[in-house]
Amino acid sequence: MEVPSFADLGKNARDIFKTGYHHGKGLVKFNIKTKVTKKFQLMSDTTLNFEVSKLTGLMETKYKADAGTLLLKWTTDGVLFLGYEFNELLMKGVDLLSECSYNPETAAKSVKVGSKFVSERMNAYCEISNDLDSGTNLLGSVVVKCRDLLLGYQGGYDTASNSITKNDVGVAYGFPDIDLHFRCTSIPHVYGLSVLYKARHDLGIAANGIYAKRGDVQKWTVGAGAKCKLDERSTLRFKFNTDLQLATSLLQKISDGVTLILSFNIDCANVTRGGHRVGLALNVDA
């Protein structure tokens, strides 16, 4: 089994709180993913926010060749992306990445190159991106597996401002029924701990705590959530945190490849005042 990337550490616990929630004061999300052939894939992800009357999203196409994958992406902001990924060109497990973007409206241009290495013991990634109108950004991460323990670090640096943009560490450990993920982001200012308990094959319970400190300002946030699979076509989620935000989500599989998600968020501190949020999402995978 391959080692996950730094961004995927603790993913199972985080999914309890993030996946399936599409909140807004009138939010509709439409996602479609289709494969014309084994080599060609088309994906579109759009969101309509009635509160600000704005449509945002992207359209992405991927073409898999023998030596890698060609990527073409366009966003509703008018930004064009063109990239190519060379798979195992130099050696097994090593991929080379390249991407350039252009905004015709603002004439903003950027170039990004990177590399990643994935094996059963390590997941390493490095990236150099250059905004031709500002400066260069460096980003790197590494995750090492020691038995059932995953140790990870992520660092980033902006040459234009001569400042560190990423300075994060993460530790994940998996028991048969419990997953733990400890992290410290923007060392030493933000700490987080996520715990996922697999009560049954169809029920997962999670807790997530975050402690942040900047100068004399301190803030605690603790949340609890659960994911329950009602049947083969229905999944119910809910979560609650110390900010008195209660959210629930119902995922209903309409047919093979078509899923409807309805989610709500209630501000329990101001129940009678209103301002609660609702979201509707439709996922199509063909």
Side-chain angles (χ1 to χ4, degrees), residues 143-202:
V143 178
V144 179
K145 182 177 182 180
C146 300
R147 295 183 181 272
D148 294 330
L149 184 68
L150 295 172
L151 306 173
Y153 175 78
Q154 176 177 252
Y157 179 73
D158 184 2
T159 59
S161 60
N162 193 26
S163 62
I164 295 177
T165 58
K166 297 283 187 181
N167 188 25
D168 312 326
V169 65
V171 179
Y173 191 85
F175 294 94
D177 296 327
I178 299 177
D179 289 339
L180 300 175
H181 177 224
F182 171 79
R183 59 201 179 275
C184 180
T185 58
S186 302
I187 299 173
H189 299 293
V190 182
Y191 299 87
L193 177 64
S194 300
V195 181
L196 171 63
Y197 173 54
K198 304 166 189 175
R200 299 196 306 264
H201 72 280
D202 58 351

Side-chain angles (χ1 to χ4, degrees), residues 247-262:
T248 182
S249 167
L250 177 63
L251 182 150
Q252 182 67 46
K253 187 176 180 181
I254 300 176
S255 62
D256 292 340
V258 181
T259 304
L260 182 68
I261 304 174
L262 181 63

Side-chain angles (χ1 to χ4, degrees), residues 234-247:
S234 304
T235 302
L236 178 66
R237 291 179 171 89
F238 70 86
K239 59 182 179 179
F240 184 76
N241 59 29
T242 50
D243 294 328
L244 300 183
Q245 299 292 317
L246 174 63

Side-chain angles (χ1 to χ4, degrees), residues 108-173:
K109 299 176 286 292
S110 67
V111 178
K112 179 170 64 177
V113 293
S115 176
K116 65 179 179 180
F117 171 73
V118 182
S119 69
E120 296 180 353
R121 291 293 179 182
M122 178 184 294
N123 187 313
Y125 177 79
C126 63
E127 171 190 298
I128 301 176
S129 59
N130 184 278
D131 188 333
L132 302 183
D133 297 323
S134 57
T136 302
N137 292 298
L138 307 176
L139 178 66
S141 66
V142 60
V143 178
V144 179
K145 182 177 182 180
C146 300
R147 295 183 181 272
D148 294 330
L149 184 68
L150 295 172
L151 306 173
Y153 175 78
Q154 176 177 252
Y157 179 73
D158 184 2
T159 59
S161 60
N162 193 26
S163 62
I164 295 177
T165 58
K166 297 283 187 181
N167 188 25
D168 312 326
V169 65
V171 179
Y173 191 85

Side-chain angles (χ1 to χ4, degrees), residues 86-99:
F86 297 90
N87 304 121
E88 301 185 349
L89 183 64
L90 299 178
M91 59 180 292
K92 184 178 180 180
V94 177
D95 295 336
L96 303 178
L97 317 170
S98 63
E99 183 181 279

